[in-house]
Amino acid sequence: MAVQGEIERFNLRSRLRFNIDAGQIWLDESRMLLLHAKALGALRRELFDSLGAKRAQGLLFRMGFAAGQQDADLASKLLGEGDNFDVFQIGPALHAFEGLVKATITEAHIDWEQGCFFGETKSENSWEAESHLQQFGIGEDTACWTLSGYASGYVTRFFRRFIVFRETQCTCRGDHHCVMVGKPVEAWGDDAYLEYCRPEELDTSFQALQQELWQLRGRQREQHVPGKLVGSSPAFRMAFDLLSKAAKSPITVLLLGETGVGKEVFAQWLHENSDRADQPFVAVNCAAIPNDLIESELFGVQKGAFTGAQQSRPGRFERADGGTLFLDELGDLSPSAQVKLLRVLQTGEVERLGDDKARKVNVRLVAATNVNLQQAIADGRFRADLYYRLATYPVAIPPLRERKSDIPVLVTALLEKYAPIYHKSLLGLTDRAMQALMAYHWPGNVRELENLIERAVLLVPSGAQIEVEHLFAGATPTAPPGAAIDRQGQVGNADEARRELLYDTLLDDGFDLQAHETRLLELAVRRANGNLTHAARLLGITRRQLAYRLKQATGEAGPGARHGMTKSNSDR
Ligand SMILES: [Zn+2]
């Protein structure tokens, strides 16, 4: 009953969704599998046969560890800022909910401040013991490796210390039931388990260590990020192959693509992989500079050329001498700047404004635009002769929606970039968050993805996973997953149909709106243990609205009063 109570208390059922049309089951943000214990048992048997007991046990332990860590995240989320001991207790409830085992905590000595931990659980109906007995019969060894891995991963994650659970009794050894004991890894006094654990793979909760790693990577990446191109999708490879063929030659490259596809990153890569890599890379965004300044910016000014030109200064062309000049948003260049640019390209010489001295420049030009230049020519906004000079080697950079398979690697690179900046150690994205990114259509391309990830890194608590709501802040781009299970464990065909039926039945029985509202309020407050904020969340209203309605229900001698709602439990 204790487990059932925990499941109700945290309303776990509401987190479990069957989206049968999409072929998905979700437990909160994690994709779950309803698979045959027999199939997993067969895999388990094959692991033992092909790898030997030791390695098979290690693999199973680590698999359980990963599951335990995911559930610890969910538990912390369900409990919010509540007592850590409660988090410890939801573990067995989640494990039971997932159908793996019925575990009961028989002993727990936890001192959060001191970091002391001792725990003992009794397991019944372990799927693993059952499967092991079917496959191997009674033997010398304990068998519940995924289960001890789960308990270890679970406790390790929220205790932030490496806690290892070992089976001291197991039905596979002929014991009456399975018993697991958990202690900090060093308290075991031997390192037999370390072999199973391979800490380098399990240390995701060793925050300090991970933080260091992120920072180290962040620091390394800082030198590479601007020139780093990430991707392996066919569309990306096509653009990249074209780009690499041009890298070593001085040919003028025209980068085409929508806003946000990362044209400057491509340009920078081109520079860094050319034989001009040790010379300057100068980038100019033509759209960001006012028309009356663009010419002096590009070509330079001679002292006295116009009022305010008190000093001679070189333009970007001269500053890029020997290296690469990247002209972004070229379609926005003013007509007179277009003429001057064409002349530079034809002669290889620049003249500063107010100066008739021609200066030789050796510049490799990379231009980029997101406007259709052909159309601009037809409209008389862009010079055809300049276009033909620039368009000798066009490279079209695909929009993000045409290279979605690159999203996971891009996300990894962006997390490595932003986690150190915001001093967060993060555990990646939930399955559902990643699915939402894959389903989105990305009108703003890689830049939009970068903005989204940066915001998510800012919003997510350190040590947690990024969830859908961190990314899309309320406006979830994917449909919420489908049917839930009811109290009897039945899966609804669809939420809507079930509600329809419920309302029908209610009306048939002679409906009293006020009474039903009061009952709902009571139920929610009870489920939330009197916490009005939590109760309001269950009801989909604000705490203020709930308090007001409760007051109405109890304060007035309306039909609600007869349900005996007391003031004390509504004021908490
Ligand atoms: Zn066992």
Side-chain angles (χ1 to χ4, degrees):
M1 261 344 268
V3 163
Q4 186 68 30
E6 293 290 307
I7 289 173
E8 290 306 325
R9 184 174 152 215
F10 294 104
N11 205 4
L12 283 181
R13 282 184 295 102
S14 73
R15 307 273 170 168
L16 182 65
R17 294 275 154 168
F18 289 81
N19 193 346
I20 292 163
D21 286 340
Q24 295 163 339
I25 303 172
W26 295 94
L27 180 57
D28 199 54
E29 300 242 334
S30 288
R31 186 162 178 184
M32 304 299 282
L33 302 175
L34 190 60
L35 51 77
H36 296 267
K38 265 215 161 51
L40 196 55
L43 174 68
R44 203 175 166 283
R45 153 124 225 171
E46 236 178 276
L47 289 177
F48 275 87
D49 290 348
S50 57
L51 301 174
K54 262 241 134 71
R55 290 179 65 197
Q57 289 163 353
L59 279 172
L60 293 166
F61 183 89
R62 291 195 290 281
M63 173 188 161
F65 197 94
Q69 292 202 308
Q70 292 295 312
D71 277 359
D73 284 346
L74 175 57
S76 318
K77 185 175 157 185
L78 292 174
L79 211 68
E81 65 290 355
D83 184 359
N84 280 324
F85 185 71
D86 279 345
V87 186
F88 183 39
Q89 283 184 307
I90 317 175
L94 277 163
H95 222 176
F97 190 66
E98 289 159 16
L100 297 163
V101 67
K102 182 195 167 192
T104 320
I105 300 172
T106 47
E107 249 192 282
H109 308 287
I110 306 174
D111 186 333
W112 298 99
E113 270 81 58
Q114 298 287 308
C116 299
F117 182 92
F118 178 87
E120 190 184 271
T121 64
K122 183 177 102 176
S123 320
E124 294 162 275
N125 301 331
S126 152
W127 84 270
E128 200 169 14
E130 212 172 276
S131 163
H132 195 87
L133 279 174
Q134 281 171 16
Q135 300 276 1
F136 301 96
I138 292 212
E140 304 272 281
D141 227 347
T142 61
C144 303
W145 295 96
T146 58
L147 300 188
S148 32
Y150 178 94
S152 307
Y154 185 87
V155 176
T156 294
R157 175 73 124 232
F158 74 80
F159 202 60
R160 305 219 161 125
R161 257 190 90 177
F162 195 6
I163 305 292
V164 168
F165 274 79
R166 289 186 187 189
E167 265 195 311
T168 53
Q169 292 179 42
C170 185
T171 51
C172 294
R173 246 178 28 181
D175 295 316
H176 198 60
H177 44 245
C178 301
V179 172
M180 268 192 283
V181 168
K183 292 193 269 188
V185 66
E186 62 279 4
W188 282 103
D190 63 58
D191 48 9
Y193 254 59
L194 282 176
E195 262 176 72
Y196 296 130
C197 303
R198 286 227 295 265
E200 71 271 17
E201 287 178 21
L202 297 180
D203 68 6
T204 43
S205 59
F206 291 170
Q207 306 253 329
L209 196 67
Q210 212 195 14
Q211 193 112 25
E212 216 171 283
L213 197 66
W214 281 113
Q215 270 161 5
L216 206 64
R217 283 192 195 146
R219 219 171 292 137
Q220 273 176 4
R221 292 189 63 85
E222 267 165 32
Q223 297 145 20
H224 293 288
V225 149
K228 177 105 181 171
L229 286 177
V230 179
S232 56
S233 65
F236 173 83
R237 292 249 37 124
M238 211 168 17
F240 181 75
D241 287 347
L242 214 54
L243 195 72
S244 18
K245 288 197 180 95
K248 292 285 176 212
S249 81
I251 195 167
T252 297
V253 172
L254 179 62
L255 300 173
L256 302 166
E258 294 173 11
T259 303
V261 291
K263 291 186 280 276
E264 179 160 357
V265 187
F266 275 76
Q268 192 133 19
W269 187 92
L270 201 63
H271 172 72
E272 282 171 10
N273 290 276
S274 71
D275 38 23
R276 298 163 174 259
D278 51 350
Q279 299 292 318
F281 173 83
V282 177
V284 185
N285 184 338
C286 301
I289 298 170
N291 265 345
D292 51 343
L293 291 182
I294 187 78
E295 289 177 35
S296 59
E297 202 53 47
L298 287 178
F299 310 112
V301 190
Q302 194 61 28
K303 184 178 174 180
F306 50 81
T307 345
Q310 285 153 351
Q311 261 175 343
S312 300
R313 64 184 162 85
R316 307 277 180 115
F317 261 101
E318 280 178 73
R319 276 188 262 160
D321 194 19
T324 306
L325 178 67
F326 173 54
L327 293 183
D328 202 359
E329 312 267 20
L330 189 83
D332 289 330
L333 214 54
S334 69
S336 80
Q338 288 180 33
V339 177
K340 290 207 171 70
L341 176 60
L342 180 63
R343 196 164 337 121
V344 176
L345 294 179
Q346 286 165 337
T347 61
E349 292 174 345
V350 282
E351 279 174 27
R352 292 181 181 175
L353 264 62
D355 191 6
D356 43 20
K357 187 177 145 206
R359 295 159 203 264
K360 205 101 193 122
V361 283
N362 170 15
V363 166
R364 197 259 179 94
L365 191 68
V366 179
T369 177
N370 57 12
V371 302
N372 183 341
L373 286 182
Q374 243 105 345
Q375 186 58 48
I377 293 167
D379 296 346
R381 286 180 289 115
F382 203 83
R383 296 183 65 97
D385 45 6
L386 178 58
Y387 173 77
Y388 291 116
R389 273 271 166 185
L390 293 170
T392 35
Y393 197 84
V395 176
I397 304 171
L400 188 53
R401 65 180 172 280
E402 284 171 22
R403 47 177 292 221
K404 280 190 175 175
S405 58
D406 289 332
I407 289 176
V409 281
L410 285 165
V411 167
T412 305
L414 291 169
L415 287 180
E416 287 178 6
K417 177 177 173 186
Y418 286 108
I421 294 176
Y422 292 97
H423 306 290
K424 299 269 174 86
S425 88
L426 297 176
L427 300 164
L429 271 65
T430 65
D431 299 337
R432 191 142 175 260
M434 185 53 85
Q435 199 192 47
L437 293 185
M438 297 300 277
Y440 187 55
H441 58 288
W442 299 112
N445 293 299
V446 180
R447 190 182 302 150
E448 187 180 11
L449 176 67
E450 179 156 1
N451 293 343
L452 230 61
I453 295 290
E454 181 175 6
R455 188 179 61 199
V457 170
L458 177 71
L459 290 176
V460 72
S462 193
Q465 286 183 306
I466 291 176
E467 299 185 358
V468 174
E469 60 177 39
H470 299 131
L471 290 167
F472 292 97
T476 310
T478 49
I485 53 170
D486 65 17
R487 232 161 223 281
Q488 280 72 42
Q490 304 266 3
V491 180
N493 288 330
D495 282 355
E496 218 24 68
R498 260 180 46 236
R499 271 189 211 124
E500 210 51 50
L501 190 68
L502 177 68
Y503 296 141
D504 264 357
T505 320
L506 284 174
L507 287 179
D508 286 347
D509 293 344
F511 193 66
D512 178 341
L513 186 59
Q514 181 64 56
H516 277 288
E517 189 192 298
T518 310
R519 289 283 292 273
L520 273 177
L521 298 180
E522 281 177 353
L523 185 63
V525 171
R526 204 160 54 230
R527 249 196 212 175
N529 280 330
N531 182 322
L532 287 198
T533 309
H534 288 182
R537 204 177 299 145
L538 288 176
L539 292 162
I541 57 178
T542 66
R543 190 186 182 283
R544 186 189 292 266
Q545 287 168 331
L546 174 60
Y548 176 73
R549 286 178 193 220
L550 283 172
K551 206 170 156 206
Q552 293 241 307
T554 54
E556 290 168 22
R562 66 173 178 262
H563 291 285
M565 171 99 55
T566 59
K567 199 102 177 78
S568 64
N569 70 1
S570 59
D571 271 355
R572 280 172 61 184

